[in-house]
């Protein structure tokens, strides 16, 4: 299982069920990495996207009984979502906060867009012990002009125990 997220320096990943930034390169990276795989998300993340993500198996984790979503399977736990996954590994957990928190202990890979700026928001990526992870790739992106902000595409693998 892999987690994929864009994370501000202060840990923010969302504000009022939206992204508090606009990074087209991040969205392209997300599409490239997750296409052809299963994506698992919480109900609020599903609602923020508004439709199934194409060329991916979409699974929504929700405690709501009887929930039916066009273009997505509904699971009632992360474990059930993983059992539903039929596309090639890895399964990508794509948010939100509660699902990241429950999936982090089981993840083998983290694909993070690390944004070098603080943002206001009401959803955060869970804190994690960086010593338990090994950085295997990093691409630095500087702002195109005097406006904007730097960010990095970083990939981490869980370090051997």
């Amino acid at each position: 299982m892999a987690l994929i997220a864009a994370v501000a320096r202060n840990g923010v990943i969302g504000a009022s069920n939206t992204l508090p930034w606009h990074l087209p390169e991040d969205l392209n990276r997300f599409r490239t990495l997750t296409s052809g795989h299963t994506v698992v998300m919480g109900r609020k993340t599903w609602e923020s996207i508004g439709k199934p993500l194409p060329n991916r198996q979409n699974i929504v984790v929700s405690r709501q009984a009887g929930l039916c979503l066009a273009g997505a399977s509904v699971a009632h736990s992360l474990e059930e979502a993983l059992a539903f996954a039929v596309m090639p590994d890895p399964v990508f957990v794509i948010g939100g906060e509660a699902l990241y928190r429950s999936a982090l202990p089981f993840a083998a890979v983290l694909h993070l867009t690390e944004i070098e700026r603080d943002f206001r928001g009401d959803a955060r990526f869970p804190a994690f012990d960086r010593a338990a992870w090994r950085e295997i790739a990093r691409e630095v992106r500087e702002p195109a002009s005097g406006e904007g902000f730097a960010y990095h595409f970083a990939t981490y693998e869980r370090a051997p125990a």
Side-chain angles (χ1 to χ4, degrees), residues 37-111:
H37 298 279
T38 300
V39 291
V40 177
M41 67 197 91
R43 182 190 46 79
K44 288 182 183 177
T45 299
W46 168 265
E47 290 172 355
S48 74
I49 295 169
K51 62 183 180 187
L53 295 171
N55 193 32
R56 285 158 272 210
Q57 178 189 13
N58 291 255
I59 302 175
V60 176
V61 177
S62 174
R63 291 182 295 269
Q64 185 178 336
L67 180 64
C68 293
L69 301 169
S73 299
V74 177
H76 299 291
S77 67
L78 177 60
E79 295 77 14
E80 186 177 18
L82 295 174
F84 288 166
V86 296
M87 295 190 90
D89 285 339
V91 171
F92 284 92
V93 173
I94 67 169
E97 179 179 344
L99 197 55
Y100 283 137
R101 197 172 33 257
S102 64
L104 183 61
F106 307 103
V109 177
L110 304 176
H111 294 283

Side-chain angles (χ1 to χ4, degrees), residues 5-15 21 95-101 117-127:
V7 184
R9 184 174 48 210
N10 60 346
V12 166
I13 58 172
W21 47 75
E97 179 179 344
L99 197 55
Y100 283 137
R101 197 172 33 257
R117 185 175 141 192
D118 292 342
F119 280 85
R120 290 181 185 209
D122 53 10
R124 297 185 179 281
F125 195 79

